[in-house]
Amino acid sequence: MVMLETPRLVLRRWCADDVVHMSAVNADPEVMRWIGDGSVRDEPQTRRGIEAMEREWDRQGLGLFAVEIRSTGELAGFTGLSVPDFLPELLPAVEVGWRPGRAHWGQGLATEAAAAAVRFGFEDCGVDRIVSIAQLGNGASERIMTKLGMHPVRETVDPS
């Protein structure tokens, strides 16, 4: 089973206990503001999302990791890689994405986690192109992309 470690984080596959904690992240309107239409997600929706993430791991050999704080074991959110099927004009490509809970904003954790996921994609999965997608105005994600060495290629208001 794939697990990555950074100085402050553990990136790992999902377990049943993560549903409740990720549900709290997904229920926060500020966290979800830039995700799709901004709708929050409840526990059943979060469970289905985690199940889909795990199926992607099985199908693609890559996916979205649960991100855990090493010092406390707390689930901070997710980061990882996925195939952006919803934007066929970008394919073939792999997307790096992240969703930290608000308690973990502003600490560099999303950048640290995403950088580990990007390294994993290039070094372990043999991916040759990684993109990231953020809605216009999502300055926090744009800053993370810049720290990862990415640059804007295209603009959109709703990536779907």
Side-chain angles (χ1 to χ4, degrees):
M1 186 174 299
V2 177
M3 184 177 77
L4 308 176
E5 293 189 35
T6 72
R8 299 181 291 170
L9 305 170
V10 174
L11 283 64
R12 59 169 174 74
R13 298 281 296 267
W14 295 88
C15 64
D17 292 343
D18 295 329
V19 172
V20 171
H21 302 289
M22 194 65 210
S23 293
V25 172
N26 288 340
D28 185 334
E30 280 301 305
V31 170
M32 300 303 289
R33 177 179 177 197
W34 300 105
I35 309 299
D37 67 1
S39 297
V40 297
R41 298 186 185 145
D42 61 17
E43 192 169 313
Q45 290 169 312
T46 299
R47 178 175 286 104
R48 287 191 300 275
I50 289 173
E51 289 167 355
M53 291 178 209
E54 281 296 298
R55 283 193 303 275
E56 186 166 18
W57 272 106
D58 295 338
R59 204 173 46 252
Q60 303 280 354
L62 53 80
L64 297 170
F65 293 97
V67 175
E68 184 178 292
I69 305 294
R70 281 180 77 161
S71 62
T72 65
E74 177 186 3
L75 182 75
F78 72 68
T79 195
L81 305 171
S82 62
V83 176
D85 292 326
F86 62 94
L87 279 175
E89 63 271 24
L90 292 180
L91 300 176
V94 170
E95 176 190 10
V96 62
W98 47 84
R99 186 178 307 158
R102 194 178 345 176
H104 304 288
W105 290 2
Q107 302 170 43
L109 297 175
T111 303
E112 183 176 325
V118 167
R119 277 191 306 279
F120 170 73
F122 286 133
E123 296 173 7
D124 298 316
C125 299
V127 172
D128 60 4
R129 181 172 181 235
I130 297 178
V131 301
S132 191
I133 301 162
Q135 291 189 32
L136 286 175
N138 185 348
S141 282
E142 292 169 1
R143 285 187 294 280
I144 293 169
M145 291 174 185
T146 299
K147 290 175 186 175
L148 293 174
M150 296 179 160
H151 61 277
V153 173
R154 162 179 186 206
E155 291 186 356
T156 185
V157 175
D158 180 356
S160 63

